[in-house]
Amino acid sequence: MNNKEGNNKKSGTRISSRSNANKPKPAMQKRAQGPKKAKPTTKAAEIATDKVEKKQNQAPKRPKVADEIRLNKYIANSGACSRRDADIYIQSGNVKVNGIPVIEMGYMVKPGDVVNFDGAVLTPEKKEYILLNKPKNFTTAFDEGQENRNVLELVKGSTTAKIGAVGRMDKNTTGLLLFTNDTDMIRKFTLPNQKSSKIYQVSLDKNLKYEDLEKINKGLVLDGHRVFVEDVSYIDNEPKSEIGIKLRSSNVKVVRSIFEHFDYDVLRIDRVAFAGLTKKNLPRGNWRFLTDQEIINLKNT
């Protein structure tokens, strides 16, 4: 029994020692395998995968052709944003050419390419924005006879694009008038619920009573429509017949109707501010192009 027990003990000791000895062997074998040999293969695979992905995300390169234009300039010409901002959109992957994301700076767009900017397709024609300080005896209408010339004569030669006036002005109304070939902007500023402010200087046939000024300031109903007036006041150092009025409507007829509603005759209307644009350094009868920042401001109003 003692021998058996001894044998059992020895055998048990041998088993345990073998098991203890065998335990580190797999670990040693794992370490001996060494990931170093596999690492180059893994890195190579990752690099190859990245290259494949980049090639898939980039528009195919093509030889340079005539009338090409840098992608950031193409975007800026469309009026979406400035060139600097366009670079940010390109780097972030928000610009596609012919359905393929382009992140390459300096990418050239050719005629016929379809550029998608932040989810919207850009039109290839450059958007033009021209601000005119309109004089008297010019009208936005085309059917008022030859004695009343059209306002387009005043901006003739400014651009080859087919531009139109934003809103209407009769022959007696003067001041700021915007021209553009951006149909979205024209539509925006002719909607009755648009939010940009316009300021008019109105000359009346007699002094405006203070009680009438207060009534106008509270708003009124014209032809069944509520007219909201942001502000109305007398003009400093001018007779009480010279009034400044601020409202959102770009329809000059609304301005005239407000004062006629209180039995005043309107002699002159001059639009001195339009959605943040002013007549500063723009003499009567002259025009200028809007700056990139002014265009962005108009789109955001």
Side-chain angles (χ1 to χ4, degrees), residues 132-136 154 169 173-176 201 268-272 279 281-287:
L132 169 72
N133 188 351
K134 176 189 168 301
K136 289 181 65 175
L154 299 169
M169 272 194 178
T173 303
T174 58
L176 296 179
Q201 181 174 342
R268 288 179 298 276
I269 299 177
D270 185 40
R271 184 189 282 160
V272 297
K279 297 192 298 181
N281 300 324
L282 188 63
R284 189 82 74 199
N286 289 20
W287 60 267

Coordinates of all heavy atoms in Angstrom, one line a residue, residues 132-136 154 169 173-176 201 268-272 279 281-287:
L132 N -28.5 98.8 -57.9 CA -28.6 100.1 -58.6 C -29.3 101.1 -57.6 O -30.2 100.8 -56.9 CB -29.5 99.9 -59.8 CG -30.0 101.1 -60.5 CD1 -28.9 101.9 -61.3 CD2 -31.2 100.8 -61.5
N133 N -28.8 102.3 -57.7 CA -29.5 103.4 -57.0 C -30.4 104.1 -58.1 O -29.9 105.0 -58.9 CB -28.5 104.4 -56.4 CG -29.2 105.5 -55.6 OD1 -30.4 105.6 -55.6 ND2 -28.4 106.3 -54.9
K134 N -31.6 103.7 -58.2 CA -32.5 104.1 -59.3 C -32.9 105.5 -59.3 O -33.4 106.0 -58.2 CB -33.7 103.2 -59.3 CG -34.8 103.5 -60.4 CD -36.0 102.7 -60.1 CE -37.2 103.2 -60.9 NZ -37.6 104.7 -60.7
P135 N -32.8 106.2 -60.4 CA -33.3 107.6 -60.5 C -34.8 107.6 -60.9 O -35.4 106.5 -61.1 CB -32.5 108.2 -61.6 CG -32.1 107.1 -62.4 CD -32.1 105.9 -61.6
K136 N -35.4 108.8 -61.0 CA -36.8 108.9 -61.4 C -36.9 108.6 -62.9 O -35.9 108.6 -63.7 CB -37.3 110.3 -61.1 CG -37.6 110.6 -59.7 CD -38.1 111.9 -59.4 CE -39.5 112.1 -60.0 NZ -40.1 113.4 -59.7
L154 N -30.2 101.1 -67.4 CA -29.2 101.7 -66.5 C -28.1 100.7 -66.1 O -27.0 101.1 -65.6 CB -29.9 102.2 -65.2 CG -31.0 103.2 -65.4 CD1 -31.8 103.4 -64.1 CD2 -30.3 104.6 -65.8
M169 N -40.7 98.7 -59.3 CA -40.6 100.1 -59.0 C -41.3 100.9 -60.1 O -41.0 100.7 -61.3 CB -39.2 100.5 -58.8 CG -38.6 100.3 -57.4 SD -37.1 101.2 -57.2 CE -36.7 100.9 -55.5
T173 N -40.7 106.3 -58.1 CA -39.9 105.7 -56.9 C -38.4 105.6 -57.2 O -38.1 105.2 -58.3 CB -40.5 104.3 -56.6 OG1 -41.9 104.4 -56.3 CG2 -39.8 103.8 -55.3
T174 N -37.6 106.1 -56.3 CA -36.2 106.0 -56.4 C -35.6 105.2 -55.4 O -36.2 104.7 -54.5 CB -35.6 107.5 -56.3 OG1 -36.0 108.0 -55.0 CG2 -36.2 108.4 -57.4
G175 N -34.3 105.0 -55.5 CA -33.5 104.2 -54.5 C -33.0 102.9 -54.9 O -32.9 102.6 -56.1
L176 N -32.8 102.0 -53.9 CA -32.1 100.8 -54.2 C -33.0 99.7 -54.9 O -34.1 99.5 -54.5 CB -31.6 100.2 -52.8 CG -30.6 101.0 -52.1 CD1 -30.2 100.3 -50.8 CD2 -29.3 101.2 -53.0
Q201 N -37.8 106.3 -47.3 CA -38.0 107.7 -47.0 C -39.2 108.2 -47.8 O -39.1 108.2 -49.0 CB -36.8 108.6 -47.2 CG -37.1 110.0 -46.8 CD -35.8 110.9 -46.8 OE1 -34.7 110.4 -46.9 NE2 -36.0 112.2 -46.9
R268 N -43.2 111.4 -53.0 CA -41.9 110.7 -53.4 C -41.7 109.5 -52.4 O -42.0 109.6 -51.2 CB -40.7 111.6 -53.3 CG -40.6 112.6 -54.4 CD -39.4 113.5 -54.3 NE -39.4 114.3 -53.1 CZ -40.1 115.4 -52.9 NH1 -40.7 115.9 -53.9 NH2 -40.0 116.0 -51.7
I269 N -41.1 108.5 -53.0 CA -40.7 107.3 -52.1 C -39.3 107.0 -52.6 O -39.0 106.8 -53.8 CB -41.6 106.1 -52.3 CG1 -43.0 106.4 -51.9 CG2 -41.0 104.9 -51.5 CD1 -44.0 105.2 -52.1
D270 N -38.4 106.9 -51.6 CA -37.0 106.6 -51.8 C -36.6 105.4 -51.0 O -36.7 105.5 -49.7 CB -36.1 107.8 -51.6 CG -34.7 107.5 -52.0 OD1 -34.4 106.9 -53.0 OD2 -33.7 108.0 -51.2
R271 N -36.2 104.3 -51.6 CA -35.8 103.1 -50.8 C -34.3 103.3 -50.4 O -33.4 103.3 -51.3 CB -35.9 101.9 -51.6 CG -35.6 100.6 -50.8 CD -35.6 99.4 -51.7 NE -36.9 98.9 -52.0 CZ -37.2 98.1 -53.0 NH1 -36.3 97.8 -53.9 NH2 -38.5 97.7 -53.2
V272 N -34.0 103.5 -49.1 CA -32.7 103.8 -48.7 C -31.9 102.6 -48.1 O -30.7 102.7 -48.0 CB -32.7 104.9 -47.6 CG1 -33.3 106.2 -48.2 CG2 -33.5 104.5 -46.4
K279 N -27.3 102.8 -49.6 CA -26.8 103.6 -50.7 C -25.4 104.2 -50.5 O -25.0 105.1 -51.3 CB -27.8 104.7 -50.9 CG -29.2 104.3 -51.3 CD -30.1 105.4 -51.8 CE -30.3 106.5 -50.8 NZ -31.2 107.6 -51.3
N281 N -21.9 105.3 -50.8 CA -20.9 105.4 -51.9 C -21.6 104.9 -53.2 O -20.9 104.4 -54.1 CB -19.7 104.6 -51.6 CG -18.9 105.1 -50.4 OD1 -18.9 106.3 -50.1 ND2 -18.4 104.1 -49.7
L282 N -22.9 105.1 -53.4 CA -23.6 104.7 -54.6 C -24.5 105.9 -55.0 O -25.6 106.0 -54.7 CB -24.4 103.5 -54.4 CG -25.0 102.8 -55.7 CD1 -23.9 102.4 -56.6 CD2 -25.9 101.6 -55.3
P283 N -23.9 106.8 -55.8 CA -24.8 108.0 -56.3 C -26.0 107.5 -57.1 O -26.0 106.4 -57.7 CB -23.8 108.8 -57.1 CG -22.4 108.3 -56.7 CD -22.6 106.9 -56.3
R284 N -26.9 108.4 -57.2 CA -28.1 108.2 -58.0 C -27.8 107.9 -59.4 O -27.0 108.5 -60.0 CB -29.0 109.4 -57.9 CG -30.4 109.2 -58.5 CD -31.3 108.5 -57.5 NE -31.8 109.4 -56.4 CZ -32.2 109.0 -55.3 NH1 -32.4 107.7 -55.0 NH2 -32.6 109.9 -54.4
G285 N -28.4 106.8 -59.9 CA -28.1 106.4 -61.3 C -27.0 105.5 -61.5 O -26.8 105.0 -62.6
N286 N -26.2 105.2 -60.5 CA -25.0 104.3 -60.6 C -25.4 102.9 -60.0 O -26.3 102.8 -59.3 CB -23.8 104.9 -59.8 CG -23.2 106.1 -60.4 OD1 -23.9 106.8 -61.3 ND2 -22.0 106.5 -60.1
W287 N -24.5 102.0 -60.4 CA -24.7 100.6 -59.9 C -23.4 100.0 -59.5 O -22.3 100.5 -59.9 CB -25.4 99.7 -61.0 CG -24.6 99.7 -62.3 CD1 -24.7 100.5 -63.4 CD2 -23.5 98.8 -62.6 NE1 -23.8 100.1 -64.4 CE2 -23.0 99.1 -63.9 CE3 -22.9 97.7 -61.9 CZ2 -22.0 98.4 -64.6 CZ3 -21.8 97.0 -62.5 CH2 -21.4 97.4 -63.8

